[in-house]
Amino acid sequence: MRVLSVGMAILVILSSSVCMAAGYEITKVVEVGPLNGGPLYSPIKWSPDGNRVAYFSFGYLMIADTLGNSRRAAKVEMSPGRFEWLSHQEILVYEKAGDDTIFTRLTNFNINTGERTVLAECVRRRGYQPKPEQTWVEGPYLTLEGNAYYYVEKDGGRQLHLVQSAYKEQVLPEKNHIYRRTGSYSPETGGDVYVVRADLKDSIRAFDRSYSDSVRSPNRSHILMRGVITRLADSSLIIMNSLIGEYPEGTVGCDFPWASLNPRATEALFCVSCDDGQELDPYIVNRIGTINYATNEFTILDTLIGIDNGMAPTYAPDGRNIAFFANGKLYIIKRREK
């Protein structure tokens, strides 16, 4: 199947027949086009309204709708890292370049006009302590209300900055919240996590013994970490590895490098990666799937959609459609409830 060049409208319908799965039907799978670059862990970002996805392809920030129509939004001059939607037509991108001397930049791209606004620039020599007057930027991230922010580190302190947009109402610190760990923490026992107001003037405990790489449900009812879903009400566990069944041929163990919790349903989305146990040049099989953690229904999507090696799956804001990449291409799975 021929793929049109990047920047042109791309629409390839892989499946128009209904595929049955646990609690939902797959109505269509859309091949959008090449995905190349961006952060490995979260290379795809849905727009707040769920009608578009942002990603990177060969040095360009790309925008695609759910029909697969894709276009170049802006040229990214350095290697892109974290990125988030600021508004319906702005995207924040953390860019990085350099080896011994590291250059970083946080840029606001207007995806309709191509205009860029640099919010912060930093320079630091690798392996050297920063000078007192030097700053360092970390982010962007989203508050629990879905508004973009970043951190500025300077003189040993760390300040949170909410990003304002001309295309949305003013974002107020007292009306936004973040997750923040306080107190002692260890990789073995985790640590307490609080919901903190963005002006740092109020906080309440949200999770006990939560880990830095855990995924927390929006209603604070579950934590997903390393393939284990914990129900906080009674500390009951769902071991996702136990639901896989037989490992793919030639593999001996599996892990869950990507996972997220559905914002609207008792469902988790994951990538399960299985290998042959070899440290050098391992044989790896990646698959994506869902688990309904109320019914324990476990579904591998690869066989339903006819695409293997899926990675980095992510929910649309309504929890229905799914975007992922496989074999260098971006795909969108369209679903409906049974």
Side-chain angles (χ1 to χ4, degrees):
M1 182 176 296
R2 188 171 63 93
V3 177
L4 303 181
S5 61
V6 176
M8 300 178 65
I10 302 174
L11 175 58
V12 181
I13 305 302
L14 297 180
S15 173
S16 57
S17 60
V18 173
C19 300
M20 307 298 291
Y24 58 84
E25 299 171 345
I26 297 174
T27 60
K28 190 177 293 184
V29 180
V30 180
E31 179 185 317
V32 178
L35 185 155
N36 175 277
L40 179 62
Y41 188 78
S42 56
I44 307 161
K45 294 289 183 177
W46 285 94
S47 62
D49 60 11
N51 292 328
R52 294 168 294 170
V53 291
Y55 61 103
F56 297 94
S57 184
F58 300 101
Y60 285 90
L61 173 62
M62 306 291 294
I63 305 296
D65 62 23
T66 57
L67 296 177
N69 301 303
S70 178
R71 64 179 178 87
R72 291 175 174 177
K75 176 70 175 176
V76 181
E77 296 176 346
M78 297 191 286
S79 178
R82 295 190 61 91
F83 68 113
E84 297 287 355
W85 288 78
L86 173 61
S87 68
H88 66 280
Q89 67 178 63
E90 298 166 292
I91 293 177
L92 301 176
V93 180
Y94 181 87
E95 302 175 83
K96 184 177 179 180
D99 191 5
D100 293 332
T101 301
I102 305 171
F103 301 88
T104 62
R105 183 167 64 196
L106 183 62
T107 305
N108 179 7
F109 289 97
N110 186 310
I111 61 174
N112 290 337
T113 67
E115 181 182 359
R116 68 183 67 202
T117 302
V118 176
L119 303 183
E121 288 184 300
C122 306
V123 179
R124 179 180 291 183
R125 291 193 65 187
R126 189 183 300 275
Y128 288 78
Q129 290 295 324
K131 298 178 180 179
E133 69 276 9
Q134 285 184 312
T135 61
W136 195 250
V137 173
E138 179 187 329
Y141 305 101
L142 294 181
T143 67
L144 300 184
E145 291 76 17
N147 295 305
Y149 70 96
Y150 63 95
Y151 290 108
V152 174
E153 298 181 10
K154 185 178 181 180
D155 297 333
R158 197 167 185 241
Q159 293 183 330
L160 185 153
H161 292 260
L162 289 167
V163 185
Q164 304 297 334
S165 168
Y167 302 98
K168 59 192 292 188
E169 293 183 0
Q170 183 181 10
V171 179
L172 300 176
E174 61 269 24
K175 293 187 177 180
N176 280 266
H177 300 81
I178 63 171
Y179 282 129
R180 187 173 184 177
R181 179 172 287 102
T182 61
S184 60
Y185 166 80
S186 73
E188 292 77 22
T189 62
D192 294 346
V193 173
Y194 288 74
V195 173
V196 181
R197 218 164 69 177
D199 59 6
L200 308 182
K201 292 184 178 180
D202 188 27
S203 65
I204 58 173
R205 181 177 294 185
F207 303 105
D208 297 334
R209 298 183 304 279
S210 181
Y211 293 79
S212 59
D213 58 350
S214 61
V215 179
R216 299 117 188 181
S217 61
N219 62 2
R220 307 180 204 171
S221 64
H222 292 75
I223 291 178
L224 191 161
M225 186 196 66
R226 303 170 187 169
V228 178
I229 300 175
T230 303
R231 181 185 175 190
L232 297 178
D234 56 8
S235 297
S236 60
L237 303 179
I238 297 175
I239 312 298
M240 294 169 63
N241 223 335
S242 66
L243 303 174
I244 292 176
E246 293 185 6
Y247 292 154
E249 185 177 355
T251 66
V252 297
C254 299
D255 195 9
F256 294 83
W258 286 279
S260 59
L261 293 169
N262 193 313
R264 302 292 178 86
T266 57
E267 180 188 72
L269 175 66
F270 60 84
C271 168
V272 55
S273 182
C274 305
D275 62 52
D276 60 1
Q278 300 297 317
E279 293 187 7
L280 298 176
D281 193 25
Y283 169 69
I284 300 174
V285 177
N286 293 312
R287 297 174 293 169
I288 61 172
T290 62
I291 177 173
N292 185 316
Y293 52 84
T295 64
N296 283 5
E297 293 176 277
F298 192 92
T299 303
I300 295 295
L301 294 172
D302 298 52
T303 54
L304 293 178
I305 62 178
I307 301 171
D308 59 7
N309 200 37
M311 292 184 283
T314 179
Y315 284 116
D318 64 3
R320 185 169 55 187
N321 294 333
I322 295 169
F324 71 100
F325 79 91
N327 307 309
K329 296 178 183 178
L330 170 66
Y331 297 89
I332 294 173
I333 299 173
K334 295 189 174 186
R335 307 190 299 168
R336 69 184 178 208
E337 294 183 2
K338 287 182 180 178

